[in-house]
């Protein structure tokens, strides 16, 4: 397995020359600034240079290039597998309600007995991530196949996100890359680092991605009471205070980010569905906590890897984390990379929703504010 | 130290990240600044976290405060409600006491007066007073029972009683009630009714009184009928049907279901016109259900209403009532009555006594039958005339009969709803009068008595007594120490009544007015029994009883002295409380003479 990472900016051109490794077992990953027009030429160049390879990519607020967080650069990874086979599937996703169907369709396309992993990219604003995963899970046996991925982002404007399809930036579409072969190790870990605090409360009224009542009280009012002076800058500050939604057995939670507040309805808006009747808890993430989350994610993965085996880490972190950590966001990238075996390389992007199993071998979930790490290597 | 460790660890990481050594001065200012920046991030994060935890505690403690306040308010409300309901119960008990005590005084006095010799007019007035008082007591009982029913505090009694006497007694009161309204009052109890059954006669009486009261109230003309019927006998149990029928205003079909509900009256104007509490029928329904019976009504508006209930009673005595009736066997009795129900009732009675009834509906037919009896040589033994009949009334008919010397010896018994003066009886040549509704036992007794007097004296004889001696209520002073009864009662009227009622026993009764005086008296002489009022000044009956029991235990009294409580508190639990306080028995006021004597005699044995 040969991994080459590079990036392109208009000003400086290619950071590293493109290796001549075009084959059907080559994967080209491209993470682009939302406004792709300055990078269209580079994208076309890649398609021309790797006609046989599987090419997948999407828009993002920032690309991950090893320990660096790159804005306004096209981040590219060219991974040439030795034995692993690849497959690509894509489908239009015109309406949110189609999410389950499209998830199922892509999974059906990619499914095979030796399928090891699926990497999903989708329009971040027009996908119900939870339903997409349910669609995939309806076809795939998740004890054998690891499903990871992310929702494309933009410059935190929530206006337009896209994925690459046949060399073009296309919205309302999803795609998946399938990885096949017995040599490939394809494993993932997710960690948010936010700390739940205060009492657990019941979600007593919600609809879609709007939360109206917690413990019978108006959600926004309660949220503000908790935030105190931080409530003055809502909804911007809401990224720092997501909610934990516990599962029924209360052994796992998913993080949900507040992206809007509605004073008239006293409600909170989220990027994902909020299930009624579940227990929730307010969360707080300090810089240190988030950093620790990233460290734990990489260390847990590293512990399962053979020593001195460099790996390729596909890292998808939440755009919200980038906002919370600000200028120091790249520290979490350092933290992950330094915990992986030496010689490992890291590529990825900041998303509007992370797809990864909550626990090892568990079901894939839609996360917010989470650092998800997927490592790949081909064993002997 | 536990908290320090992760911080220390973090610090080490921050040093490492900044490229600084743990033990050594920074060689590069940029590295130092980077380190300070990381420290600053940690501080900001930590103080933010602290702020949020404080907020969280604040929110939680506010919620707990509110929860505490709500809980406190709710608890206070509940306690207050509890106090109120206790006050209400207390109030009901007090009201019960306050109302029953004077009624007890009236009823007891009247009962004693009734036993003295009275002329018929006096008797009528006393009966009226007695009946009115009973009605009043029933109203009070209804209200008390209703509040008890609401609280689920009613228990039925199971005692032996005579259903026949019960219904006859009711109809007696009913006739007094119906007097001023010119109503025919009928009562029919067939001979096959078991003599004694087990049940709650007081409640049954109350149910019938409620129905009869309504019937009289809502009937302007016509008749009110009370009936008792044996539906079936099975395994020593009798199903009895009680029926009250009137020819009153009736109940609209739409209302027939809801009349058994509390406070429901057919319409508001009914209430203005007829008054009433609206509780009577509810109580009838509740009691019927408690007794495991069923009830119903048939009514045609403008024509009348029949209320009935059927209840199963265990039979304790079922002998037929025939030992004396054979004296009437074969006697030819002419009955003249314009009312069909009444004729049917009388015919039934007479047939049961095996008398030969010749029944007509008016004076002319009666005279015709009399004529026939002469021609056919089948003399009439007795004539039973109704007083109030159209055209020729009973008095006119009697005078006509007496004017014919062939019939001047045949005894005449007048049926009347009003009572008839002796003078008028004599003038009309009437030997006896029977007040409607006619009770079978009374009628039979009057008929037998009249026939007997006729054969012995062959001459009509008015009731002789004209003096009205009141009972002697002055206590005999007993010099020797004989066994006596001690009566502790603060109310002088109640005391007088009790003492008078007890006279029949021929035992000395000593009267004291407080619990303290009762104890004092008991230490000076032995008593066979104590009748103890509960509410007394200085020391109440409970306390006095406690002392009595204590002294018995200590050997100051040689033997157990029965203490019988007498209280006007008729609420549930009074009886239990009395027994718990060491009393042996319990009498609810107003006490009837029979009950008092029965209980006292039982404990004297």
């Amino acid at each position: 397995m040969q991994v080459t990472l590079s990036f392109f900016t208009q000003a400086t051109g290619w950071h590293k020359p493109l290796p001549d490794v075009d084959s059907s077992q080559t994967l080209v990953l491209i993470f682009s600034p939302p406004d792709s027009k300055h990078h269209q030429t580079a994208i076309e160049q890649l398609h021309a240079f790797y006609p046989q390879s599987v090419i997948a990519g999407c828009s993002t607020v920032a690309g991950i290039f090893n320990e660096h967080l790159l804005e306004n650069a096209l981040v590219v990874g060219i991974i040439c597998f030795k034995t692993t086979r690849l497959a690509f599937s894509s489908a239009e996703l015109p309406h949110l309600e189609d999410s389950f169907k499209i998830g199922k369709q892509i999974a059906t396309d990619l499914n095979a007995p030796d399928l090891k992993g699926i990497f999903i990219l989708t329009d971040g604003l027009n996908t119900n991530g939870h339903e997409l995963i349910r669609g995939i899970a309806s076809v795939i046996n998740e004890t054998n196949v690891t499903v990871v991925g992310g929702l494309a982002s933009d410059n935190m404007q929530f206006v337009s996100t896209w994925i690459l399809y046949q060399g073009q930036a296309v919205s309302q579409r999803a795609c998946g890359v399938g990885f096949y072969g017995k040599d490939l190790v394809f494993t993932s870990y997710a960690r948010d680092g936010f700390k739940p605090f205060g009492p657990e409360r019941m979600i007593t009224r919600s609809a879609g991605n709007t939360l109206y009542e917690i413990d019978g009280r108006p959600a926004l009012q309660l949220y503000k009471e908790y935030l105190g002076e931080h409530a003055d800058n809502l909804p911007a500050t809401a990224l720092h205070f997501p909610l934990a939604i516990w599962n029924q057995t209360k052994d796992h939670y998913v993080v949900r980010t507040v992206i809007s507040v509605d004073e008239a309805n006293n409600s909170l808006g989220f990027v994902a569905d909020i299930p009624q009747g579940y227990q929730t808890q307010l969360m707080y993430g300090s810089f240190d906590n988030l950093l620790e989350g990233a460290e734990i994610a990489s260390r847990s993965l590293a512990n399962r890897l053979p020593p001195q085996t460099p790996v390729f880490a596909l890292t998808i972190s939440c755009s919200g984390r980038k906002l919370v950590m600000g200028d120091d966001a790249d520290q979490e990238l350092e933290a992950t990379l330094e915990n992986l075996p030496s010689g490992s390389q890291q590529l990825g992007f900041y998303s509007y929703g992370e797809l990864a199993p909550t626990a090892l071998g568990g079901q894939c979930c839609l996360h917010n504010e989470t650092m998800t790490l997927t490592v790949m290597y081909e064993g002997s | 130290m536990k908290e320090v460790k992760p911080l220390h660890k973090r610090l080490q990481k921050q040093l490492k990240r900044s490229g600084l050594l743990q033990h050594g001065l920074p060689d590069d200012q940029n590295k130092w600044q980077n380190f300070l920046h990381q420290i600053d991030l940690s501080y900001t994060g930590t103080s933010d976290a602290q702020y949020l935890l404080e907020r969280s505690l604040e929110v939680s403690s506010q919620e707990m405060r509110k929860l505490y306040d709500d809980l406190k308010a709710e608890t206070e409300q509940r306690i207050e409600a509890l106090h109120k309901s206790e006050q209400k119960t207390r109030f009901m008990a007090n009201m019960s006491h306050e109302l029953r005590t004077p009624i007890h005084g009236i009823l007891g006095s009247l009962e004693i007066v009734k036993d003295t010799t009275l002329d018929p007019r006096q008797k009528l007035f006393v009966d009226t007073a007695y009946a009115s008082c009973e009605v009043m007591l029933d109203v009070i009982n209804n209200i008390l029972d209703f509040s008890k029913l609401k609280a689920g505090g009613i228990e039925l009694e199971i005692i032996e009683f005579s259903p026949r006497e019960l219904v006859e007694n009711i109809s007696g009161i009913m006739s007094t009630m119906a007097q001023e309204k010119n109503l025919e009052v009928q009562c029919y109890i067939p001979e096959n009714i078991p003599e004694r059954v087990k049940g709650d006669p007081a409640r049954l009486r109350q149910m019938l009184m409620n129905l009869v009261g309504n019937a009289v109230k809502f009937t302007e003309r016509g008749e009110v009928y009370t009936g008792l019927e044996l539906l079936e006998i099975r395994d020593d149990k009798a199903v009895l049907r009680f029926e009250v029928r009137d020819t009153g205003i009736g109940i609209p079909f739409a209302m027939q279901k809801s009349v058994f509900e509390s406070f429901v009256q057919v319409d508001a104007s009914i209430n203005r016109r007829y008054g009433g509490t609206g509780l009577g029928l509810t109580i009838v329904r509740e009691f019927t259900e408690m007794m495991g019976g069923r009830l119903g009504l048939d009514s045609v508006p403008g024509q009348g209403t029949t209320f009935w209930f059927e209840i199963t009673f265990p039979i304790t005595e079922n002998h037929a009532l025939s030992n004396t009736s054979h004296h009437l066997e074969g006697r030819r009795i002419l009955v003249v009555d314009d009312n069909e129900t009444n004729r049917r009732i009388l015919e039934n009675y007479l047939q049961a006594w095996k008398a030969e009834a010749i029944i007509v509906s008016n004076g002319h037919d009666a005279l015709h039958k009399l004529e026939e009896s002469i021609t056919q040589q089948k003399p009439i033994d007795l004539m039973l005339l109704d007083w109030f009949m159209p055209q020729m009334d009973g008095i006119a008919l009697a005078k006509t009969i007496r004017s014919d010397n062939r019939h001047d010896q045949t005894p005449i018994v007048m049926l009347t709803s009003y009572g008839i003066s002796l003078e008028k009886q004599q003038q009309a040549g009437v030997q006896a009068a029977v007040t409607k509704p006619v009770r079978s036992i009374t009628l039979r007794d009057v008929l037998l008595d009249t026939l007997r007097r006729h054969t012995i004296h062959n001459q009509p004889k008015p009731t002789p007594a004209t003096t009205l001696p009141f009972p002697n209520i002055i206590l005999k002073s007993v010099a020797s120490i004989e066994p006596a009864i001690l009566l502790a009662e603060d109310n002088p009227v109640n005391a007088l009544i009790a003492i008078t009622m007890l006279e029949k026993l021929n035992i000395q009764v000593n009267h004291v007015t407080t619990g303290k005086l009762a104890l004092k008296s008991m230490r000076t002489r032995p008593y066979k029994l104590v009748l103890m009022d509960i509410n007394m000044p200085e020391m109440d009956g409970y306390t006095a009883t406690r002392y009595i029991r204590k002294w018995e235990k200590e050997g100051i009294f040689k033997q157990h002295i029965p203490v019988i409580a007498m209280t006007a508190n008729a609420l549930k639990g009074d009886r239990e409380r009395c027994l718990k306080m060491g009393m042996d028995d319990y009498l609810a006021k107003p006490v009837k003479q029979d009950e008092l004597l029965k209980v006292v005699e039982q404990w004297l044995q």
Side-chain angles (χ1 to χ4, degrees):
Chain A
M1 184 169 110
Q2 183 195 326
V3 180
T4 309
L5 304 186
S6 185
F7 63 88
F8 175 88
T9 66
Q10 253 191 323
T12 59
W14 286 104
H15 168 67
K16 246 186 204 175
L18 303 174
D20 183 11
V21 289
D22 183 38
S23 79
S24 63
Q25 282 168 284
T26 301
L27 173 66
V28 180
L29 293 171
I30 305 167
F31 303 113
S32 162
D35 185 358
S36 64
K37 63 176 182 288
H38 303 302
H39 303 99
Q40 189 57 37
T41 326
I43 292 169
E44 280 167 15
Q45 197 184 344
L46 286 167
H47 278 81
F49 205 73
Y50 299 108
Q52 295 180 66
S53 305
V54 170
I55 300 177
C58 68
S59 63
T60 180
V61 63
I64 294 167
F65 178 83
N66 285 326
E67 68 270 42
H68 305 290
L69 182 154
L70 299 180
E71 288 169 310
N72 302 313
L74 193 73
V75 176
V76 176
I78 299 125
I79 304 105
C80 177
F81 292 95
K82 245 187 219 155
T83 56
T84 305
R85 281 190 306 108
L86 299 170
F88 180 82
S89 170
S90 179
E92 261 191 289
L93 209 169
H95 307 292
L96 279 178
E97 299 76 54
D98 300 323
S99 301
F100 179 88
K101 192 179 81 188
I102 297 309
K104 191 176 174 184
Q105 185 184 323
I106 290 173
T108 311
D109 270 3
L110 299 177
N111 201 12
D114 62 343
L115 180 65
K116 267 281 163 63
I118 294 178
F119 175 61
I120 295 286
L121 290 175
T122 182
D123 180 344
L125 299 177
N126 296 298
T127 306
N128 181 331
H130 178 69
E131 286 298 302
L132 185 78
I133 292 167
R134 279 215 315 121
I136 295 168
S138 70
V139 177
I140 298 292
N141 177 0
E142 289 189 82
T143 49
N144 302 327
V145 180
T146 305
V147 179
V148 296
L151 277 66
S153 60
D154 64 6
N155 286 328
M156 307 311 285
Q157 307 297 311
F158 298 95
V159 173
S160 167
T161 62
W162 48 265
I163 65 162
L164 272 179
Y165 180 64
Q166 296 178 341
Q168 299 297 315
V170 184
S171 293
Q172 295 177 321
R173 184 169 270 279
C175 70
V177 179
F179 298 80
Y180 309 83
K182 60 181 190 328
D183 294 343
L184 181 71
V185 176
F186 189 105
T187 179
S188 172
Y189 203 89
R191 192 78 186 197
D192 57 271
F194 283 83
K195 297 266 183 273
F197 68 94
E200 288 132 20
R201 293 169 184 276
M202 177 76 83
I203 296 170
T204 45
R205 189 158 76 88
S206 67
N209 52 14
T210 307
L211 171 59
Y212 293 99
E213 278 175 21
I214 301 171
D215 274 354
R217 297 185 56 194
L220 177 58
Q221 189 193 323
L222 187 66
Y223 192 65
K224 282 178 170 177
E225 274 178 41
Y226 269 99
L227 264 49
E229 63 190 32
H230 295 296
D232 298 343
N233 292 321
L234 282 175
T237 45
L239 277 173
H240 296 260
F241 312 105
L243 296 188
I245 315 276
W246 289 93
N247 65 357
Q248 300 286 36
T249 47
K250 291 207 66 183
D251 41 16
H252 291 296
Y253 61 77
V254 290
V255 182
R256 288 292 177 262
T257 315
V258 178
I259 55 156
S260 65
V261 296
D262 186 338
E263 297 282 348
N265 288 331
N266 237 329
S267 66
L268 300 170
F270 292 80
V271 287
D273 283 359
I274 299 299
Q276 198 167 295
Y278 280 69
Q279 297 274 330
T280 184
Q281 227 176 336
L282 194 62
M283 301 187 95
Y284 164 69
S286 70
F287 177 80
D288 287 329
N289 295 149
L290 298 194
L291 202 57
E292 206 171 87
E295 273 177 14
I296 291 170
S298 58
R299 209 175 313 125
S300 309
L301 267 181
N303 287 342
R304 299 206 298 264
L305 299 174
Q308 278 103 44
T309 310
V311 297
F312 169 61
L314 180 52
T315 300
I316 299 168
S317 184
C318 181
S319 53
R321 289 172 76 90
K322 179 177 167 293
L323 279 189
V324 172
M325 297 172 89
D327 292 340
D328 300 291
D330 54 357
Q331 287 204 27
E332 72 169 355
L333 306 179
E334 279 175 40
T336 49
L337 199 55
E338 76 186 12
N339 280 296
L340 293 174
S342 65
S344 296
Q345 300 188 76
Q346 175 171 252
L347 183 88
F349 72 104
Y350 281 87
S351 71
Y352 279 172
E354 302 76 62
L355 309 176
T358 317
L360 185 69
Q363 283 190 332
C364 180
C365 285
L366 170 67
H367 305 272
N368 288 167
E369 305 266 5
T370 299
M371 155 68 83
T372 66
L373 271 178
T374 306
V375 300
M376 297 176 217
Y377 68 92
E378 287 180 303
S380 48
Chain B
M1 287 307 279
K2 216 179 170 188
E3 278 307 304
V4 173
K5 255 191 170 171
L7 283 176
H8 189 238
K9 218 170 151 186
R10 187 176 292 167
L11 191 64
Q12 279 181 327
K13 268 185 200 163
Q14 284 163 341
L15 279 168
K16 192 182 157 200
R17 221 169 263 150
S18 311
L20 295 177
L21 296 169
Q22 202 171 347
H23 310 287
L25 288 171
D27 48 358
D28 183 337
Q29 203 184 343
N30 282 338
K31 287 182 182 171
W32 178 242
Q33 268 177 355
N34 181 277
F35 175 68
L36 288 182
H37 174 69
Q38 291 193 47
I39 297 288
D40 183 51
L41 280 176
S42 285
Y43 268 106
T44 313
T46 309
S47 61
D48 276 357
Q50 193 182 338
Y51 175 78
L52 282 168
L53 287 175
E54 279 166 12
R55 290 296 314 159
S56 172
L57 279 177
E58 174 64 25
V59 171
S60 290
S61 58
Q62 270 174 15
E63 284 175 343
M64 276 164 76
R65 179 84 221 165
K66 191 177 174 301
L67 207 68
Y68 171 77
D69 287 346
D70 288 354
L71 210 67
K72 201 174 147 196
E74 199 190 313
T75 311
E76 276 165 6
Q77 274 173 13
R78 280 193 190 177
I79 289 172
E80 200 185 332
L82 215 65
H83 278 314
K84 273 191 186 154
S85 95
E86 245 169 48
Q87 278 171 4
K88 212 164 140 191
T89 313
R90 210 58 253 161
F91 170 77
M92 291 307 295
N94 287 340
M95 199 175 80
S96 156
H97 178 85
E98 296 301 327
L99 291 171
R100 282 173 200 250
T101 306
I103 292 174
H104 172 52
I106 302 167
L107 274 179
S109 304
L110 290 174
E111 208 168 315
I112 291 162
V113 174
K114 269 169 79 176
D115 277 357
T116 63
T117 318
L118 299 172
D119 73 25
R121 282 177 61 82
Q122 284 169 327
K123 187 169 162 33
L124 176 66
F125 286 126
V126 170
D127 284 348
T128 306
Y130 192 84
S132 308
C133 212
E134 293 248 28
V135 171
M136 184 155 76
L137 190 60
D138 279 318
V139 170
I140 291 163
N141 282 341
N142 274 353
I143 295 169
L144 289 174
D145 278 344
F146 181 72
S147 31
K148 281 193 265 178
L149 277 170
K150 285 274 134 189
I154 284 200
E155 279 163 27
L156 292 175
E157 269 192 82
I158 301 170
I159 56 171
E160 220 183 276
F161 71 100
S162 157
R164 173 184 304 280
E165 279 172 22
L166 177 89
V167 175
E168 286 185 343
N169 189 270
I170 296 280
S171 65
I173 294 163
M174 173 169 76
S175 67
T176 317
M177 291 195 295
Q179 251 175 36
E180 61 200 41
K181 291 184 88 171
N182 250 346
L183 299 175
E184 281 288 341
V185 173
Q186 322 287 0
C187 175
Y188 175 56
I189 303 164
E191 287 296 320
N192 63 350
I193 298 296
E195 243 346 86
R196 295 190 80 75
V197 298
K198 272 189 167 178
D200 188 335
R203 307 287 189 219
L204 284 167
R205 186 180 173 287
Q206 202 177 332
M207 290 154 75
L208 283 170
M209 281 297 287
N210 283 334
L211 296 180
V212 165
N214 278 347
V216 171
K217 199 195 289 181
F218 295 116
T219 306
E220 292 305 325
R221 64 185 65 83
E223 63 174 52
V224 174
Y225 164 92
T226 310
L228 177 59
E229 205 180 321
L230 175 70
L231 293 186
E232 64 169 314
I233 289 187
R234 200 194 311 137
D235 303 336
D236 298 335
K237 279 182 182 163
V239 183
L240 297 184
R241 179 185 168 101
F242 298 80
E243 193 176 298
V244 175
R245 191 172 71 216
D246 65 46
T247 55
I249 57 174
I251 298 166
F253 293 111
M255 292 295 295
Q256 291 186 3
K257 262 199 172 152
S258 59
V259 290
F260 289 108
E261 283 163 25
S262 330
F263 308 113
V264 168
Q265 292 183 323
V266 171
D267 66 50
S269 65
I270 295 284
N271 185 282
R272 283 195 297 279
R273 195 160 149 214
Y274 297 97
T277 56
L279 295 179
L281 291 176
T282 307
I283 285 166
V284 174
R285 187 198 62 200
E286 295 282 343
F287 284 160
T288 307
E289 281 167 9
M290 282 177 81
M291 292 174 186
R294 50 192 213 103
L295 81 169
L297 73 95
D298 307 300
S299 182
V300 179
Q303 289 187 24
T305 306
T306 304
F307 279 101
W308 55 265
F309 55 87
E310 294 168 8
I311 291 165
T312 307
F313 299 95
I315 302 166
T316 55
E317 206 182 312
N318 196 18
H319 67 71
L321 242 196
S322 55
N323 47 349
T324 49
S325 53
H326 66 266
H327 293 296
L328 285 168
E329 202 175 316
R331 296 290 195 152
R332 298 193 79 224
I333 294 169
L334 175 64
V335 174
V336 189
D337 198 321
D338 61 314
N339 181 284
E340 203 209 320
T341 313
N342 221 6
R343 286 201 299 273
R344 218 185 64 218
I345 292 169
L346 291 169
E347 185 180 12
N348 258 292
Y349 285 149
L350 293 170
Q351 277 175 358
W353 300 325
K354 302 204 168 74
E356 188 183 332
I358 302 122
I359 292 174
V360 294
S361 63
N362 57 61
H364 292 289
D365 290 356
L367 293 172
H368 180 72
K369 287 283 177 197
L370 269 178
E371 207 51 50
E372 243 179 48
S373 73
I374 303 271
T375 53
Q376 294 177 3
Q377 295 195 326
K378 279 182 177 174
I380 300 282
D381 292 308
L382 187 142
M383 285 176 278
L384 198 52
L385 310 186
D386 185 31
W387 182 359
F388 265 63
M389 289 187 291
Q391 292 167 342
M392 188 190 287
D393 71 13
I395 300 289
L397 178 60
K399 283 183 177 165
T400 313
I401 293 165
R402 290 294 178 241
S403 66
D404 186 335
N405 59 13
R406 289 177 299 169
H407 306 308
D408 62 359
Q409 294 301 304
T410 315
I412 296 177
V413 174
M414 189 68 77
L415 289 169
T416 162
S417 305
Y418 306 93
I420 181 168
S421 71
L422 271 179
E423 199 185 346
K424 209 162 188 177
Q425 280 187 35
Q426 283 174 340
Q427 280 175 3
V430 172
Q431 277 63 51
V434 176
T435 310
K436 288 199 275 192
V438 180
R439 306 173 187 197
S440 74
I441 297 168
T442 315
L443 180 66
R444 189 193 63 207
D445 290 348
V446 167
L447 295 183
L448 285 170
D449 187 57
T450 309
L451 286 170
R452 187 173 47 83
R453 278 192 285 130
H454 176 68
T455 42
I456 294 169
H457 303 290
N458 238 352
Q459 195 72 7
K461 234 182 183 181
T463 317
T466 42
T467 50
L468 299 170
F470 257 78
N472 180 13
I473 51 171
I474 301 146
L475 299 176
K476 286 179 272 178
S477 60
V478 181
S480 58
I481 298 178
E482 276 174 21
I485 290 174
L486 179 64
L487 171 71
E489 166 68 79
D490 62 321
N491 183 307
V493 177
N494 285 349
L496 185 63
I497 290 164
I499 291 165
T500 313
M501 284 178 168
L502 290 167
E503 265 186 346
K504 279 196 180 168
L505 294 175
N506 225 1
I507 293 180
Q508 188 188 345
V509 178
N510 283 1
H511 173 216
V512 292
T513 53
T514 73
K516 228 174 201 173
L517 291 172
L519 292 176
K520 197 176 156 193
S521 178
M522 290 178 76
R523 297 201 72 152
T524 57
R525 58 164 299 170
Y527 284 101
K528 291 198 83 172
L529 184 138
V530 182
L531 288 166
M532 186 77 83
D533 183 30
I534 300 300
N535 296 324
M536 287 185 290
E538 262 194 306
M539 183 189 282
D540 68 16
Y542 290 137
T543 316
T545 307
R546 215 163 49 232
Y547 274 105
I548 294 167
R549 296 301 173 234
K550 188 171 164 246
W551 290 348
E552 282 171 7
K553 227 177 249 172
E554 291 167 359
I556 295 167
F557 294 152
K558 298 296 170 219
Q559 58 193 17
H560 180 87
I561 303 157
V563 177
I564 296 160
M566 295 206 302
T567 172
N569 291 359
L571 288 180
K572 190 203 174 204
D574 277 354
R575 186 189 183 88
E576 288 67 26
R577 183 143 184 238
C578 286
L579 299 181
K580 207 172 152 194
M581 296 305 263
M583 290 165 170
D584 298 281
D585 212 333
Y586 166 98
L587 283 165
K589 290 186 204 170
V591 180
K592 296 254 173 93
Q593 189 164 16
D594 303 358
E595 289 173 47
L596 177 67
L597 294 179
K598 198 173 130 196
V599 169
V600 167
E601 275 171 342
Q602 182 192 328
W603 284 101
L604 282 178
Q605 274 165 19

